[in-house]
Amino acid sequence: MKKISENQLKRDLGFWPTLSLVIGVVIGSGVFVKPGTVLGYVGGNTNLALLAWLLGGILTLAAGLTIAELSAQIPKTGGLYVYLEETYGKLWGYLSGWMQSIVYQPALIGAMGLYFGSLVAHFFFLDPSWGLWIGLSAVLFLAIINSLGVKYGGVIQVITTATKLLPILLIAVFGLWKGNSQIFFSPSGMETEWNLGAAMLATLFAYDGWIAAASVAGEMKNPSKVLPRAIFTGLIIVMIAYLSVNLALLKVLPAIKIQTLGENAASTASGILFGEIGGKLLSIGIIVSIFGGLNGKILSFPRIPYAMAVRNQLPGSRWLARVHPRFGTPIIAIAFQIALAILYMCISNPDWLSEISIFAVFLFYIQAFIAVILLRKRNQAQTPSYRVPLYPITPIVAILGSLFVVISTIIHDPTGTWIALGIILLGIPVYAWIQRRTKQLAKASS
């Protein structure tokens, strides 16, 4: 198979396609399923809940603008994996790929599958236990579809992306217009302690995905101009949408009710705003949006373990690197990711999976933010085509905000975070073993 170099990649992506990529990838299930979780972490305090959504958006914006400079200094396709490898060496690049393949990606697929199953079960008035089986069925169905060819998964993605903004717009507009509940300083009726860091982590699940735009910088017409504009504009739009939806939900439902309903709060609010039929139609729109987000992850995520396997960087690389001769898809890599996702779905819950996955990826985001400062010092003679605005304030905000979230998560869920850290650190002996085996094979063949 011929290897495609960076110079051979077509630079066809302009501002509007990149902007749609940012918005389309970021908006999925989080805005619909996380409001209750965020309120729970701040003891039902609506002011703190809205602050968590705002701070999560500001942190994501600072992160996106910082990563945009990395993409200008390292204009290659590959995203986080490439940035860390170029800055810190092959081990750190490898560990970021290992983390994404073993923790981040399958955990996110599992979380979204469980959220989807819960919403479908609620829509059809089924027992909540059906949620797991519906979620598993959806994940397996989409895995099969995406194994049959990328064009089939692409069709699903186009259809669902076109419909995902409608529920957000309708809930935000009509909720703020027709709702009559108190938003600010609303009594929660709860005496629980609050954890702003854990609440921000929950919002970051909703904001996650923006780095997908940076991962295709090598295919943009002018990444130094297109990428920062698209990330800034896209994330501002997403922040406004998320804050509007949360304000609307609080205007329609009391905070304690949103907490109790959990991922079903948005669909319940839809029924109140638009009546039984309108509410059901909007609930279908929410379900379709989550289904599309799940499809997008199953479509794209297996490409990372596949790419690592092509470079012989994972155990079983000979199998994981296989492409189906007829369908042209990395079918073994897809099966590998889905098997892990199903395992996680069976042993955990969607909130935990989503939060651990975001915790894991932010450990490596912090390194990427620091890399901007290191590359500035390393390449003083060069002037990148794009510089992060308000340097060094913006990357420092990204670093400190991320550290606050990571440390808060460790305090809030020490067992879960140590499990995630243990799986990530397991990549070090695996890397050493693969390096040693590669050298032995090279000596044997020489």
Side-chain angles (χ1 to χ4, degrees), residues 104-174:
Y104 173 71
Q105 295 179 166
L108 275 188
I109 291 173
M112 290 193 71
L114 289 171
Y115 283 134
F116 176 81
S118 175
L119 288 174
V120 172
H122 181 263
F123 182 83
F124 289 106
F125 304 103
L126 300 174
D127 187 273
S129 61
W130 278 91
L132 172 61
W133 300 107
I134 295 170
L136 289 173
S137 299
V139 168
L140 287 171
F141 171 76
L142 289 174
I144 292 170
I145 292 296
N146 282 283
S147 297
L148 296 177
V150 68
K151 63 179 180 180
Y152 299 111
V155 169
I156 293 175
Q157 200 61 27
V158 170
I159 295 172
T160 55
T161 298
T163 61
K164 70 168 55 182
L165 291 176
L166 184 61
I168 290 177
L169 181 63
L170 291 176
I171 291 173
V173 172
F174 284 89

Side-chain angles (χ1 to χ4, degrees), residues 6 9-14 75 77 215-221:
E6 291 293 331
L9 291 171
K10 291 184 178 181
R11 293 184 176 271
D12 287 339
L13 291 175
T77 296
S215 68
V216 292
E219 295 157 83
M220 291 177 190
K221 291 178 180 178

